[in-house]
Amino acid sequence: MLHLIIFGPPGSGKGTQSCRIVEKYKLIHISTGDLFRKEMARGTDLGKEIAKYIDQGMLVPDEIVMKELQQAVDEYCCDSGFIFDGFPRTIVQAEMLDNMLESMGKPVDMVLSVDVSEEELTKRLMGRSEDSGRSDDNADIIKKRIEVYKAQSLPLISFYTSQGKLVKVNGMAPVDTVFEKISVAVDTYIEKKEVPSVIN
Ligand code: AP5
């Protein structure tokens, strides 16, 4: 069973590629952003609390993130492989995840790190803002989300590189091309149990 993470800045294509990956490799897709948006749409107290952070482009506190994630894992991941999208986003979250998965005997196999230039990220997210309905898709908040990614999430690249689990994927190509590269990385892992360091 495969246990994957897709990692990258806002707008790098994590959600888009996850949809294809889950279809091809029959995995469960767990996106913390999607879980939070569902909670916000339900209008619960928790959803209102989460919105305070998302609407400012800030990270939701770890305590809330881990609770939502544990619930989703308990509900969906018992007998399936999975891909986490948008999680972990900090070293603290990554360490908590390692502990959680170790206790389940399901360690992370590979982290797909999608590289896209800042200019292209902004272009994509501003394009999406026209019809996404997402409260965090506007110029100021997009800028903030990218800053938060650089400050709080980028250190995960070294964290997973040192574990020998990170593969860099060039995300500056059309969706189909990026997916072909991801498929090469995943197929290599399935066949050889090896994580290629980069797929150009
Ligand atoms: P989340 O929902 O995870 O948003 P994000 O990381 O900002 O990423 P996006 O969903 O905006 O982009 P994506 O990389 O998935 O790209 P997509 O495929 O959509 O998180 C939202 C918020 O929730 C966070 O800001 C934070 O507040 C909170 N949160 C979530 N997880 C958290 C955590 N673990 N801890 C704390 N807080 C957390 O594509 C974007 C656009 O580009 C689309 O229009 C798409 O069609 C287009 N596109 C995709 N690929 C290509 C391509 N190759 N070429 C051209 N266009 C493309």
Side-chain angles (χ1 to χ4, degrees):
M1 272 194 291
L2 275 174
H3 309 133
L4 304 178
I5 290 172
I6 188 160
F7 175 81
S12 54
K14 302 183 295 295
T16 304
Q17 296 299 332
S18 292
C19 290
R20 294 181 174 222
I21 294 166
V22 297
E23 199 183 333
K24 179 166 180 182
Y25 297 100
K26 309 292 172 228
L27 303 178
I28 301 291
H29 179 204
I30 298 197
S31 154
T32 37
D34 286 348
L35 292 173
F36 294 152
R37 281 184 287 277
K38 276 186 200 148
E39 198 67 50
M40 284 158 65
R42 280 199 285 267
T44 59
D45 287 345
L46 179 60
K48 286 175 192 153
E49 180 67 16
I50 288 169
K52 284 187 207 161
Y53 298 93
I54 291 195
D55 290 351
Q56 293 181 61
M58 288 161 57
L59 294 186
V60 174
D62 290 336
E63 194 188 301
I64 298 177
V65 177
M66 291 312 295
K67 207 169 151 203
E68 288 274 321
L69 186 93
Q70 181 78 59
Q71 270 173 12
V73 167
D74 290 347
E75 191 168 350
Y76 303 115
C77 294
C78 301
D79 298 320
S80 307
F82 51 76
I83 180 162
F84 291 134
D85 160 9
F87 176 87
R89 265 172 143 98
T90 62
I91 299 280
V92 171
Q93 289 181 13
E95 289 171 344
M96 287 180 177
L97 179 67
D98 276 353
N99 290 337
M100 187 177 118
L101 294 181
E102 199 178 309
S103 68
M104 296 166 68
K106 295 181 171 197
V108 171
D109 294 314
M110 185 159 62
V111 179
L112 301 156
S113 171
V114 186
D115 265 350
V116 172
S117 73
E118 201 166 321
E119 191 187 354
E120 173 69 12
L121 297 173
T122 307
K123 192 174 123 199
R124 287 184 191 177
L125 293 177
M126 286 307 294
R128 189 178 67 182
S129 71
E130 285 166 25
D131 56 11
S132 72
R134 272 179 59 164
S135 53
D136 58 349
D137 273 352
N138 67 69
D140 288 346
I141 302 302
I142 289 168
K143 193 161 168 253
K144 177 74 183 171
R145 285 158 63 197
I146 294 173
E147 279 169 20
V148 166
Y149 167 80
K150 288 199 256 184
Q152 300 193 50
S153 303
L154 259 187
L156 286 173
I157 291 189
S158 305
F159 180 88
Y160 284 117
T161 301
S162 69
Q163 290 191 2
K165 293 182 175 171
L166 189 117
V167 53
K168 285 195 178 189
V169 179
N170 177 5
M172 292 288 288
V175 172
D176 288 347
T177 311
V178 177
F179 183 61
E180 279 167 26
K181 292 173 190 170
I182 287 176
S183 295
V184 170
V186 176
D187 291 343
T188 302
Y189 184 81
I190 291 172
E191 282 163 27
K192 301 184 187 165
K193 290 281 176 272
E194 270 173 25
V195 177
S197 59
V198 66
I199 301 284
N200 282 311

